[in-house]
Amino acid sequence: MWQLTLALILVLLCLWLIWRKKQLSIFKSLNIPGPEPNILFGNLWEFRKNPYVCHKKWIEKYGKIMGYYFGLRPVLLVADPELLKIIQQKEFHKFPNRSSFLDVGRSTTEYNTKALTGLKGKRWKDIRSIITPTFTTSKLKMMNPIVSQAVDELVEAVVRKSAEGKPFNIYKLYQNLTMDIIARTSLGVHTNAQKDENEPYLTHSRVIFSLEMDYFSLFAFSFPEVMGVFSFLRSMILRFRNKGREPRLELLANTGAVIAARKADPKKERKDLLQLMINAQVSKENISESLLTAGENDERIQNGDFSQKDQKNMRKMTDEEISQNALLFLLAGYETTSTALAFLTHLLLHHPEVQNKVREEINQHLDSDKDTLSYETVQKLQYLDSVICEGLRLYPPVYNFVTRVSLEDTQYENIRIPKNMNILVPVYALHFDSAYWNAPEEFDPERFLPENKGNIHPMVYQPFGAGPRNCVGLRFAQMEIKMALAKLLHKFKFTPCPRSTKDNLEISSALATMRPKKGVFLYVEKYG
């Protein structure tokens, strides 16, 4: 009997191996070059060591259009700017949805299916059209006092650190700042995150982003049969790190409580993102602007000619959609902006000549009667803007999230992209491609000055993605970063300390994001 059992096991094993080999031969059948996949892990074993650098090496070896296997999932890596222009802009209707190949079982999809990043097709357009008006110039001006006040609290914290005369990790202060700002502007919640390290929104978010690309991820993506087990283990790890509470569920519950309180007191006027979603009412002008941004270009939309049915359909959001999108903005606004500020501070720390130039620009535009930096003043700081752009080129906080999936077969020259193919934009590799950037390893803000910016191909610079599905909050993030750096550099001088690392900053890589692994340590001196 055991011989029969063994024979059956061997037959099943052979069939399983044949099936896996077939799954890992898609790119060969399409004549698309790429690294040879491992029968067990695809190309994840190599990828896990240093994901963003791995993309760069593969593109240099196999070309700007190549394929690899994220476990069992085929991924077309596209670093050809002309094809990217087709995928992300010209023929967006063929690639309107974000790919889900990075999703890890219930641990992501359960919380993101109704958020902008997970929505598809018309419903994505509808929700995007509701949320986009939050980030118009007039709305940004309204939110600027909140941002400015929060940054003033950051400056006070840095003053205290400066008085101690010791080096400190400014990355933690940036995390406190961005949580304070995003909670107030998206949820209308005052978290006190800049003064209380144990503030729940802050601690839950830190735990969520503590996970890295690890062996659990490797096995989950390589063996989808055990994805549910992986999801459970990952949830247990998060609970262990968060005193027994699942941080995402905690944040969703907090968001739900805020929504319920809003609905119980509908007469109170509020002007944050959450209220906009609850009201879900936008003007014809905002709908038109949003749909044009989302790739709709017909004359009816350009003229703002909408029927009542059109507008009613666009104005409704479910409680689940509201809570998931509120959570998305909370987490994204906290993590990516604080990380960008940390990387930028690292660069400024080791380039004092750039620091001085930014400070000179600030002093030139500062109101001579008031020692303040208004929204209008900060928007005039073109050199600071170029510094931020260059910092995001060298250290894009989100390096592995600009994805699409094909809705139909598409031919591009001799490349056939089949229906349902996962497509990834290798942001880091594009930002360091010497074919498009002169001395890409160097920190050179001058390349983003107005007189030079026109020389940059728009598709090879994507810290916020590109096309209709780019980051909806990019203008808010830019405003927040500029205000924080402008106020800090006006008051302080950043100088290296023994723990500062110039050339070999240790970076931690998660599935989609990167951050300074050990923070950014420095001295600060009061300027002037």
Side-chain angles (χ1 to χ4, degrees), residues 259-299:
I259 293 171
R262 292 285 181 94
K263 290 186 174 182
D265 185 17
K267 293 183 179 180
K268 187 173 180 179
E269 185 179 357
R270 301 175 180 90
K271 298 178 181 179
D272 49 42
L273 172 64
L274 181 61
Q275 195 62 46
L276 179 68
M277 291 191 292
I278 291 172
N279 295 341
Q281 292 182 339
V282 291
S283 67
K284 284 188 175 184
E285 291 74 17
N286 283 332
I287 294 173
S288 179
E289 178 185 347
S290 301
L291 289 181
L292 288 169
T293 302
E296 300 286 350
N297 294 305
D298 62 62
E299 186 176 349

Side-chain angles (χ1 to χ4, degrees), residues 332-348:
Y334 154 77
E335 169 69 2
T336 58
T337 309
S338 61
T339 302
L341 280 165
F343 282 134
L344 283 160
T345 300
H346 164 75
L347 290 167
L348 291 166

Side-chain angles (χ1 to χ4, degrees), residues 182-189 201 255 258 262 272-274 326 330:
I182 198 63
R184 291 173 65 182
T185 55
S186 66
L187 299 177
V189 173
Y201 279 95
T255 303
V258 174
R262 292 285 181 94
D272 49 42
L273 172 64
L274 181 61
L330 183 79

Side-chain angles (χ1 to χ4, degrees), residues 467-516:
R469 205 141 186 166
N470 68 349
C471 173
V472 69
L474 70 91
R475 295 182 66 200
F476 179 79
Q478 289 170 331
M479 177 188 75
E480 188 177 351
I481 292 169
K482 286 183 76 171
M483 181 63 74
L485 289 178
K487 288 201 172 191
L488 286 174
L489 293 176
H490 175 55
K491 297 284 187 181
F492 306 104
K493 179 181 179 182
F494 299 154
T495 56
C497 70
R499 296 187 65 177
S500 303
T501 306
K502 181 178 180 180
D503 298 319
N504 297 304
L505 180 66
E506 194 172 352
I507 295 176
S508 170
S509 300
L511 277 176
T513 59
M514 62 167 70
R515 67 185 68 87

